[in-house]
Amino acid sequence: MKNDSKIKSISGVVSVIILLVILLLISTHRVPIGKIGIETRMSKVTGKVYDSGWYFKIPFVTSIKDLSIRNQKIEYAETQGELSGQEPVYMNIVLTFSLNKEKASDVYVNYGKDYIDTLMPQQEVFDIVKGTVAKHGIDEFAAKRDEIFNEAKVNLNERMKDRGITINTLSLANYRFTDEMELAISQKNKAVQENKTQTEINEKNKAKADADAEIKKKEAAAEAEAIKTKAEAEAYANQKVNESLTDNIVKLKAIEAFKEKWNGEYPDVMSGDSNMLFDINQYLNK
């Protein structure tokens, strides 16, 4: 009897513990990190919002619905747009968004937990993107895609500002034109590249020609300077020679020249300065 009493007592304690655990579990709720809790009372939103963490609730009366406020990604299927010149362009668009904490209750009330398709319809996103793209030509689209899609993001956020979500990024994952346009663009790019290459060659040739001309100019200037210097040196030397010549030296040079050619006989007739003859005799007898 005692054993039965003990077993019943233990079973009662265990049952109470289990009941308390169950009551604790249904009386608490954990809001995960990256989500926000929306409180409902008898299935009606109270407007109370919970950040991540553990919270108590009244079992069977209140509940907490979790909505993500993390950055979420949507990849759309290919859609066709048109550029300002009416050229068709096929685009794969990628978008990321997040739910605004302040608007979370309103979003849940108006659109439910799976709110995104209703709150931000795909066709509405496409319409805004296509409208932005249509303002730009093909060259600008090819060169400034990031700027164009940032412009589209601003336009989309303006549309969504009262709906409780923020578009964080809007980008072009891939794009293509028709085969005819792709060929025309390829040929144009090839012509541009060839023209660029030829321009670079011409610039290099011109730079080389200018350098060669500059070298020749410097060489000519150096040669002219050398000729000028040589002429000045010769003139200076001649000046010094002229300054050093005296009458006696001049006479001596004349006598030396005469001596080399004289045969030893005096002329029969003499004229002019007789002193010259004495001078000659004086030097001939040496």
Side-chain angles (χ1 to χ4, degrees):
M1 296 291 294
K2 289 184 178 180
N3 290 335
D4 292 341
S5 178
K6 287 183 179 180
I7 291 173
K8 289 181 179 180
S9 177
I10 293 172
S11 297
V13 171
V14 171
S15 298
V16 170
I17 293 174
I18 292 174
L19 182 62
L20 288 174
V21 169
I22 293 173
L23 184 62
L24 180 64
L25 290 174
I26 64 175
S27 300
T28 59
H29 179 83
R30 176 180 175 270
V31 178
I33 296 174
K35 292 190 176 184
I36 194 166
I38 308 298
E39 184 183 77
T40 62
R41 187 182 297 272
M42 303 301 291
S43 301
K44 292 184 178 181
V45 176
T46 65
K48 194 170 184 179
V49 178
Y50 297 94
D51 292 324
S52 60
W54 285 96
Y55 300 94
F56 285 101
K57 61 179 181 174
I58 302 175
F60 311 111
V61 176
T62 61
S63 62
I64 299 175
K65 308 297 183 180
D66 298 332
L67 290 180
S68 177
I69 55 174
R70 290 180 182 272
N71 200 36
Q72 301 179 66
K73 182 178 181 180
I74 302 176
E75 297 183 22
Y76 295 104
E78 183 180 79
T79 183
Q80 179 182 341
E82 195 173 79
L83 299 171
S84 61
Q86 297 185 340
E87 303 93 344
V89 56
Y90 301 89
M91 303 173 290
N92 291 98
I93 301 168
V94 177
L95 175 151
T96 64
F97 73 95
S98 57
L99 178 67
N100 299 338
K101 178 181 176 181
E102 297 78 9
K103 294 280 187 177
S105 291
D106 294 337
V107 168
Y108 184 80
V109 169
N110 295 321
Y111 303 102
K113 194 170 183 180
D114 299 322
Y115 56 85
I116 193 61
D117 289 336
T118 306
L119 185 63
M120 189 172 63
Q122 173 180 292
Q123 191 57 49
E124 191 171 10
V125 174
F126 284 173
D127 289 344
I128 290 176
V129 171
K130 291 176 183 180
T132 306
V133 167
K135 297 186 294 183
H136 303 275
I138 187 168
D139 291 337
E140 190 176 10
F141 178 83
K144 299 180 179 179
R145 295 187 300 278
D146 292 343
E147 296 177 23
I148 293 171
F149 271 76
N150 187 63
E151 179 185 351
K153 184 188 80 171
V154 172
N155 295 337
L156 190 56
N157 269 321
E158 182 65 24
R159 179 74 64 87
M160 301 292 159
K161 65 180 181 181
D162 296 326
R163 301 187 190 180
I165 60 173
T166 298
I167 310 304
N168 298 312
T169 64
L170 181 64
S171 59
L172 191 62
N174 190 28
Y175 74 96
R176 64 183 178 87
F177 300 111
T178 62
D179 293 342
E180 293 79 4
M181 284 186 60
E182 292 284 2
L183 179 60
I185 293 171
S186 176
Q187 291 174 342
K188 180 181 178 181
N189 291 338
K190 181 180 179 182
V192 170
Q193 184 59 45
E194 289 176 351
N195 183 63
K196 181 181 178 181
T197 302
Q198 188 59 49
T199 300
E200 291 174 351
I201 292 173
N202 293 341
E203 289 177 352
K204 288 180 180 179
N205 290 339
K206 183 178 181 300
K208 186 177 184 302
D210 291 344
D212 292 343
E214 185 65 22
I215 292 173
K216 290 180 180 179
K217 181 179 177 181
K218 290 180 179 180
E219 289 176 348
E223 185 177 354
E225 184 64 24
I227 293 173
K228 178 182 176 183
T229 302
K230 181 179 179 182
E232 289 176 350
E234 290 177 352
Y236 180 77
N238 291 336
Q239 179 183 355
K240 290 300 182 181
V241 170
N242 290 335
E243 290 175 355
S244 66
L245 290 176
T246 62
D247 291 341
N248 289 334
I249 294 175
V250 172
K251 290 179 181 180
L252 178 60
K253 293 293 185 181
I255 292 168
E256 288 177 349
F258 177 77
K259 185 176 180 182
E260 290 177 357
K261 297 180 180 180
W262 186 48
N263 57 8
E265 297 179 358
Y266 292 100
D268 296 331
V269 180
M270 294 176 53
S271 63
D273 188 0
S274 59
N275 291 330
M276 185 64 181
L277 180 60
F278 294 122
D279 290 341
I280 292 173
N281 285 331
Q282 178 183 355
Y283 286 101
L284 289 176
N285 293 329
K286 287 185 179 181

